[in-house]
Amino acid sequence: MNTRTRAALAGTLALGLLALAPQALAAETLRYVALVDGGKQAGQQVVTRGDDGTTKVEFIFKDNGRGPELKEEFTLAPDGTYRTYQVQGTSTFGARIDESFRREGDEAQWKSTSDEGRQTVRGTALYQPLGGSPAAFSVAFNALSQRSDGKLPLIPSGTLTSRRVAQAQAQCGAQTRDVQLVAMTGVGLVPTFVWATTDANPRLFAYIYPGFLQLIEDGCQAAAADLETRQKQAEGDALVDLAKRLGHPLAGTTLIRNARVFDSEKATLGAASDVRVMDGKIVSVSPASKDTSAADHVINADAKVLLPGLFDMHTHVGRWDGGLNLAAGVTTVRDMGNDNATLQQMMGEIAGGTLMSPDVVPAGFIEGESKFSARNGFVVKNLDDAKKAVDWYAQHKYPQIKIYNSFPKDILKETVAYAHAKGLRVSGHVPAFLRAQDVVDDGFDEIQHINQLMLNFFVDEKTDTRTLARFYLVADRADGLDLDSRPVQDFIHTLAEKQVVIDPTLATFEFLHQREGEMSPIVADVADHLPPDVQRGRRAAEMNIPDDATAAKYNRSFAKLVDFVGRAYKAGVPMVAGTDEMVGFTLQRELELYVQAGLTPSQALQVATWNGAKYSRTLAERGSVTPGKRSDLVLIDGDPTKDIADIRKVALVLKGDTAYYPEEIHEALGIKPFAPAVRVLNSR
């Protein structure tokens, strides 16, 4: 999961903390701490319940120079659901949060900065906060404990369910606490795992996002690591079951008949062909109807377009990402920063066939020590630390490293040279107080994110881009940038001359201009396929856009970002397609934006296939429909070489020797399918 989403997850997706039914407790104050990087405190939440039954919450979480600050207040009805609720504050990226809810009898009404509504509700139903603190889970736990059917209706829509999947004892000082791991479904696309108390009025004990965040009762920090280990095992068991249910093994040979094969090297669509695969490899590609040998399985492509598996070259992969990725035709991802132990575990599970996921090409994350540090990978203080980090990544066969915002600029050039000497590519953000031109001069092979490129024209040696300035400077000033000017043209020329790859993640940066109440452009064209609660969440803005004039300027600024990418590509700057946002759908939107920037649809597809393999150093085995390469293949019920929007019409995905039907995956996630599946037929 990307760091932007992680921070939002911790503060604005209502992860749930601390609330009890009015009859459960007298006045008291409870404290929780948010830990990252194996125990460093990055936030806290203080929850105070008054004698009158009003609960007040103060929540702050800061990671990577950003995060929410919230004040929340609510009262509960006898059935444990909200009677009144309100929250105010700022979101991860500074957008204003102001949300309220009230229920009187059967009438419920709510209002936030992005939506409002009114419903007639009979019986128990729990309002689902859109932008609140981690409060909803404990309220839900308590309300669910009073439901004999184990189901809790939600406002505005949906039904929440939970089941216990594990038990443990947690040491809190001298006290031993019994806790339970609960899997909650009905909100979002995948289950959410939460540690709860086991008393008659259960509440949250800890929320853990493995490898990133541990939110736990103050005084119980020592128990967090063990709980994370237990949770990983429980989630792993659930994921093994999911992989068995949705993956269809293809033993022996499989013949794909009459498919129009996309030549990713030349960015052209070829004539109809028969493609034979066996044991996870492409055996042959021949003219249609010419392959008459028997096969164990047959796929009748019926002149549909066959692509090599897509690459998402900017992810922070999580164990639950596999479904959305594979359903979108993504068979390989590059991880751009993760907890090293967690990523190594995931890669082992993928290799062992127990985790449904694209294959992962890892990039080693190296950050500098500061109060703004992102706590992934290695956080270093000096050149010796940096060399040790590079050595670890080289020993573990990482093809590249990624430098981050707080990396010490005075050791950058030496670190880049040392990594190159070890055979590793070097990419990353532009460290604070430097420009993109500086990191190009120091030997970067690749730069992540369009904002990091554009900041080249807006910063000086005193600009601290570890703060939200790295977003607001671009939103405020790109509108006035002359892309025909000498500085811009010289910079593009340098990128092309040195063949510095750009990973623009344009779709992710559409949050720069999304206003409250507008559907995120990432999912705007597919929103009616998504569950209602996901649609609602995707209408929440992240930037502070106070008026129409600011909105118009930010729209023009984003248009400049798109234009810059198109100009760079046409000038010969190499490019890869990455997301750093909601997996699957974001890559599809990214390719649409490349076409908007001036690439042909075939060129955009080439970027997401051939270029992905080339710059992840996997071209010998991936990236094209070529005999001898992996049978990572995507069948499209349309022609994305003419209309890039057809990239959403994925009818079948092969990842090695396993077939996946996107409609099955989408149905399992609560998503309305986009295209009917093409089934594999057994011929023996």
Side-chain angles (χ1 to χ4, degrees), residues 272-465:
S273 301
D274 292 341
V275 179
R276 180 176 290 270
V277 303
M278 182 174 64
D279 299 328
K281 299 283 187 179
I282 299 170
V283 175
S284 63
V285 180
S286 55
S289 303
K290 295 297 184 179
D291 189 336
T292 58
S293 300
D296 297 291
H297 313 281
V298 174
I299 298 168
N300 291 315
D302 194 25
K304 294 178 175 62
V305 172
L306 188 69
L307 304 174
L310 302 177
F311 282 70
D312 185 339
M313 292 288 280
H314 198 127
T315 71
H316 300 272
V317 67
R319 294 168 92 194
W320 290 92
D321 290 347
L324 279 180
N325 267 321
L326 291 170
V330 176
T331 58
T332 307
V333 299
R334 184 175 63 176
D335 186 275
M336 296 303 293
N338 221 312
D339 171 72
N340 288 331
T342 300
L343 184 60
Q344 290 292 308
Q345 177 184 341
M346 282 189 284
M347 292 173 65
E349 291 171 341
I350 295 166
T354 61
L355 182 63
M356 182 178 71
S357 172
D359 289 325
V360 176
V361 178
F365 190 92
I366 308 180
E367 169 71 304
E369 183 64 68
S370 82
K371 67 178 182 179
F372 299 108
S373 299
R375 298 289 171 177
N376 299 321
F378 290 94
V379 180
V380 305
K381 296 181 180 179
N382 51 48
L383 183 58
D384 186 55
D385 287 348
K387 287 182 175 180
K388 290 178 181 177
V390 171
D391 287 342
W392 191 92
Y393 289 127
Q395 291 163 7
H396 287 79
K397 303 186 184 306
Y398 284 52
Q400 74 176 68
I401 61 170
K402 177 187 177 183
I403 301 294
Y404 209 60
N405 298 328
S406 291
F407 192 89
K409 65 178 184 179
D410 58 331
I411 65 168
L412 181 62
K413 189 170 186 177
E414 292 86 349
T415 302
V416 172
Y418 187 78
H420 283 160
K422 292 285 184 177
L424 278 67
R425 299 178 71 249
V426 179
S427 73
H429 288 204
V430 177
F433 312 113
L434 294 175
R435 299 177 305 132
Q437 182 66 57
D438 297 322
V439 302
V440 170
D441 293 341
D442 283 347
F444 266 38
D445 302 293
E446 181 178 338
I447 297 175
Q448 268 69 54
H449 300 308
I450 186 61
N451 72 319
Q452 298 289 320
L453 292 161
M454 302 302 285
L455 283 168
N456 188 69
F457 311 109
F458 308 138
V459 302
D460 57 31
E461 68 279 0
K462 296 181 181 179
T463 309
D464 193 345
T465 51

Side-chain angles (χ1 to χ4, degrees), residues 2-189:
N2 66 80
T3 50
R4 181 162 69 87
T5 303
R6 284 171 170 171
L9 181 67
T12 61
L13 295 187
L15 297 180
L17 190 68
L18 262 208
L20 299 174
Q23 69 273 23
L25 285 177
E28 71 169 334
T29 297
L30 295 169
R31 299 177 184 274
Y32 286 63
V33 291
L35 308 174
V36 297
D37 193 29
K40 296 183 183 297
Q41 185 169 341
Q44 64 181 6
Q45 180 155 278
V46 180
V47 181
T48 303
R49 184 179 180 279
D51 291 322
D52 63 353
T54 299
T55 298
K56 296 183 178 181
V57 183
E58 293 189 5
F59 177 74
I60 182 171
F61 178 81
K62 296 293 181 183
D63 178 68
N64 190 14
R66 59 204 179 195
E69 297 185 31
L70 304 170
K71 290 188 177 181
E72 191 174 39
E73 182 175 311
F74 55 83
T75 61
L76 301 178
D79 63 3
T81 62
Y82 293 115
R83 176 184 285 125
T84 63
Y85 172 89
Q86 62 180 19
V87 60
Q88 294 181 325
T90 55
S91 72
T92 298
F93 286 81
R96 180 177 66 94
I97 290 178
D98 188 356
E99 182 176 3
S100 61
F101 168 82
R102 175 177 296 275
R103 180 174 177 179
E104 296 180 354
D106 291 341
E107 296 301 313
Q109 58 181 326
W110 65 92
K111 184 176 182 180
S112 72
T113 53
S114 60
D115 74 340
E116 60 181 299
R118 180 188 298 267
Q119 278 185 2
T120 298
V121 181
R122 292 179 174 82
T124 295
L126 176 68
Y127 177 67
Q128 182 187 342
L130 181 63
S133 75
F137 278 164
S138 282
V139 176
F141 284 151
N142 187 263
L144 273 166
S145 71
Q146 302 181 49
R147 299 282 295 178
S148 60
D149 61 359
K151 299 179 180 180
L152 182 61
L154 296 174
I155 300 172
S157 63
T159 301
L160 190 67
T161 62
S162 67
R163 62 185 180 90
R164 185 172 64 190
V165 295
Q167 290 182 280
Q169 288 189 323
Q171 198 68 34
C172 300
Q175 183 183 16
T176 300
R177 304 272 297 277
D178 291 324
V179 293
Q180 58 182 327
L181 182 62
V182 176
M184 307 188 74
T185 57
V187 176
L189 300 175

